[in-house]
Amino acid sequence: MGNAVSLPYKDRFFELRFESIGGLGAHVGGQLLAKAAVLRMGLNGAHFSSYGSEKKGSPVKSFIRLGPPGKLIRTSAPVETPDVVVVFHRALLADPATTAGLRAGGTLIFTGPPDEVPDGLARLPRTAKIIRIDAQRIAAEENSRPNAVLIGTLAQAVPFFDGDILLHALNDQFSHKHPDVAAGNAAAFCRGMAEFELLPGAGQADGDVPVIRSDPLWGYETAPPGGIILNAGSTAWNDLSTSRTGWLPVLDADKCIHCGMCDMVCPDLCLVWHAEDNQPVPAATKLVGVDYRYCKGCLRCIETCPTSAMTREPETPGLAAQLNKPLFPQLVS
Ligand code: SF4
Ligand code: SF4
């Protein structure tokens, strides 16, 4: 390793925070970035993530702290005032905590389709660099993950990151376990470097974004009596839409033979069956589609379908709402 790269600050660490949802690769992306900084860029680095149950759909935060070689990193506190925030799913921007603490001269990278400017951007500093990249679409097209695309964008957005170094780190991370995905990851990374858009004028505020420290919802003074769970994760109100990573299962009714194989493998029972008029149930029930509210996009139904009636389609904005067949029509407002 030659000389270490130069960080922009001498008196403090350079800090990044990845805001994500389980299944989009934020934890692995943060690990990869910190490893590349330590092993290939001569820096000191630390990385850790915070998440709840380890499954698709849970909120994930991943923290990376970088320092020059002579400055030891002795803190493992969450990054509260990041230089860079990377948002892996655009739905997260609705929550002010996602961009909380971003420094006035910092950088926000978020995934979102072209032309869509989420409301939450106005509360960002006017001096911040705001970048949009359609990471989910690119990842889906390249058979990769959003983390590969977003690390490519980071390589362009942060001056001391080197694209070649990060691409090598990405290849090394996956080449042993998943050599089949290396080409897709490299393509996704390169598109992340090339296809992002700067959004000048999107931030409207002055100074750093205020830090938000959220208190636990329930403490000893506020917990409901008897250990009652007021918001169970398994109710009919649960919504798994944000777990999907760019793909939707779509039913072609003309090809469906109503065999039920897809329903047997669907882990969330989100396929919708209707009885034909004047026919006894269940003998003549037919598959009519998917309730996308409960579909986490695992695509097992597609792998199982014997007639290719269920196919994988890119999830464009509004497509799920357009094709949705509600399991519980009484819940639809
Ligand atoms: S992708 Fe298919 S199997 Fe997976 S949750 Fe959605 S409908 Fe069910
Ligand atoms: S597995 Fe395919 S053919 Fe069978 S019910 Fe499901 S979509 Fe229809």
Side-chain angles (χ1 to χ4, degrees), residues 237 293 326 328-333:
W237 296 103
R293 179 187 182 102
F328 305 107
Q330 64 275 26
L331 289 183
V332 178
S333 50

Side-chain angles (χ1 to χ4, degrees), residues 240 244 248-249 262 265-271 290-292 294-302 310:
L240 295 177
R244 295 190 294 267
L248 273 185
C262 51
V265 297
C266 176
D268 291 288
L269 303 176
C270 43
L271 293 151
V290 179
D291 190 332
Y292 294 105
Y294 307 110
C295 170
K296 64 181 166 208
C298 68
L299 307 181
R300 287 180 202 167
C301 51
I302 292 165
M310 201 65 93

Side-chain angles (χ1 to χ4, degrees), residues 251 256-262 273 287 305-307 309-310:
L251 176 69
C256 181
I257 56 172
H258 312 288
C259 64
M261 296 298 288
C262 51
W273 298 79
L287 182 65
C305 178
T307 65
M310 201 65 93

Side-chain angles (χ1 to χ4, degrees), residues 24 44 57 72 115 123 125-126 170 226 273 284 299 309 330:
L24 300 178
N44 274 327
L72 296 181
D115 304 325
R123 61 176 169 260
R126 60 183 87 244
L170 181 70
W273 298 79
L299 307 181
Q330 64 275 26

Side-chain angles (χ1 to χ4, degrees), residues 123-167:
R123 61 176 169 260
L124 300 182
R126 60 183 87 244
T127 45
K129 199 193 304 181
I130 300 177
I131 294 173
R132 177 177 59 207
I133 175 85
D134 200 348
Q136 290 201 344
R137 178 180 56 81
I138 295 171
E141 288 173 0
E142 301 298 345
N143 204 16
S144 179
R145 307 299 292 271
N147 56 3
V149 183
L150 289 162
I151 289 170
T153 306
L154 259 178
Q156 281 294 84
V158 176
F160 65 85
F161 284 150
D162 181 306
D164 288 340
I165 288 179
L166 294 188
L167 182 55

Side-chain angles (χ1 to χ4, degrees), residues 81 96 120 174 177 218 249 251 280 319 329:
T81 54
F174 294 104
K177 267 185 167 170
W218 292 331
L251 176 69
L319 183 63

